[in-house]
Amino acid sequence: RKEVEQDPGPFNVPEGATVAFNCTYSNSASQSFFWYRQDCRKEPKLLMSVYSSGNEDGRFTAQLNRASQYISLLIRDSKLSDSATYLCVVNEAGTALIFGKGTTLSVSS
Amino acid sequence: DTGVSQDPRHKITKRGQNVTFRCDPISEHNRLYWYRQTLGQGPEFLTYFQNEAQLEKSRLLSDRFSAERPKGSFSTLEIQRTEQGDSAMYLCASRRQPNTGELFFGEGSRLTVL
């Protein structure tokens, strides 16, 4: 079983749409959770951390469900510039960050 | 520029040759990570250092791969007797201790093995 699994993509949505990505992780000892964004032919960059109580950053909302070992990212009012690959990342204390395969989002006008 | 830098950016080699990549992390970052990424996949963890100590190495990393960080600053990743399956983007990242979460990645070193 893979450690971090994400929704298969790609997601193709029109501008203004709301889109949600899901992610599950296998290691119940995982302590830190993140979403990274990777543009085509670029390096990954941190989008946001994911906190137990859920957190929001503008149009982006992240949720964590430790019992189900599930993480989500919601993007509201999608923009063309949101087109990218979104990587779910999980970290157990003292170990490396483990990345999911990524989900590709394409926003069209 | 005070970001993570990697060298070379591109390397084309013949099967069986050895290659070495270098990574210079952000200067105040204690932790340095190496990942490998192929098309359509997320970054795959290879190994990481805290200062000069190599703390973890992926089970997927064959003995042809070796990494060092001799003075706790820059790091090198060497691949011996390269195989076509080694063709990938090799990404280096660093972050400050304690665990702040954010990894800062370099632009990567793309390896093509012919």
Side-chain angles (χ1 to χ4, degrees):
Chain A
R1 180 181 177 184
K2 291 188 178 179
E3 295 183 50
V4 179
E5 293 197 55
Q6 297 187 236
D7 278 351
F11 282 61
N12 299 302
V13 302
E15 277 187 291
T18 295
V19 61
F21 303 139
N22 302 316
C23 170
T24 57
Y25 59 95
S26 59
N27 189 342
S28 60
S30 298
Q31 296 186 349
S32 305
F33 310 89
F34 312 93
W35 285 100
Y36 276 67
R37 169 186 170 138
Q38 187 171 25
D39 293 309
C40 187
R41 301 184 187 280
K42 296 288 188 181
E43 71 275 19
K45 293 185 178 179
L46 179 67
L47 176 66
M48 61 195 300
S49 300
V50 185
Y51 303 118
S52 296
S53 56
N55 49 298
E56 186 174 306
D57 183 2
R59 297 180 294 107
F60 299 82
T61 300
Q63 297 280 350
L64 168 65
N65 183 323
R66 287 185 183 272
S68 301
Q69 296 180 203
Y70 170 95
I71 306 160
S72 66
L73 176 68
L74 183 75
I75 305 175
R76 293 182 300 277
D77 189 23
S78 298
K79 312 291 186 189
L80 293 175
S81 58
D82 293 334
S83 297
T85 296
Y86 291 83
L87 299 160
C88 176
V89 186
V90 172
N91 188 197
E92 181 185 351
T95 68
L97 279 72
I98 304 300
F99 286 73
K101 185 176 178 178
T103 301
T104 299
L105 172 65
S106 178
V107 182
S108 57
S109 58
Chain B
D1 190 323
T2 57
V4 178
S5 62
Q6 294 188 240
D7 183 72
R9 294 290 310 281
H10 298 93
K11 177 72 176 179
I12 299 174
T13 190
K14 293 182 178 179
R15 189 175 51 189
Q17 299 295 305
N18 299 342
V19 296
T20 299
F21 301 117
R22 175 179 170 127
C23 171
D24 287 89
I26 294 171
S27 60
E28 64 269 27
H29 286 185
N30 299 83
R31 294 194 173 183
L32 185 151
Y33 300 76
W34 285 99
Y35 287 85
R36 175 173 63 191
Q37 188 173 28
T38 54
L39 191 64
Q41 302 294 319
E44 176 188 32
F45 169 69
L46 295 179
T47 188
Y48 90 94
F49 294 83
Q50 180 171 304
N51 299 315
E52 66 276 10
Q54 188 173 17
L55 295 189
E56 187 177 352
K57 190 173 175 180
S58 170
R59 295 186 301 272
L60 302 175
L61 205 63
S62 78
D63 57 7
R64 296 185 297 106
F65 288 71
S66 62
E68 294 183 341
R69 195 182 182 196
K71 297 182 179 179
S73 55
F74 74 91
S75 176
T76 58
L77 176 69
E78 182 183 15
I79 309 173
Q80 296 182 325
R81 304 181 304 280
T82 53
E83 301 173 355
Q84 288 185 323
D86 296 332
S87 295
M89 177 72 83
Y90 289 85
L91 293 164
C92 176
S94 69
R95 67 176 175 178
R96 184 184 294 116
Q97 200 184 6
N99 181 359
T100 65
E102 183 168 8
L103 286 181
F104 291 87
F105 282 87
E107 293 181 300
S109 293
R110 181 170 295 283
L111 173 65
T112 301
V113 182
L114 302 176

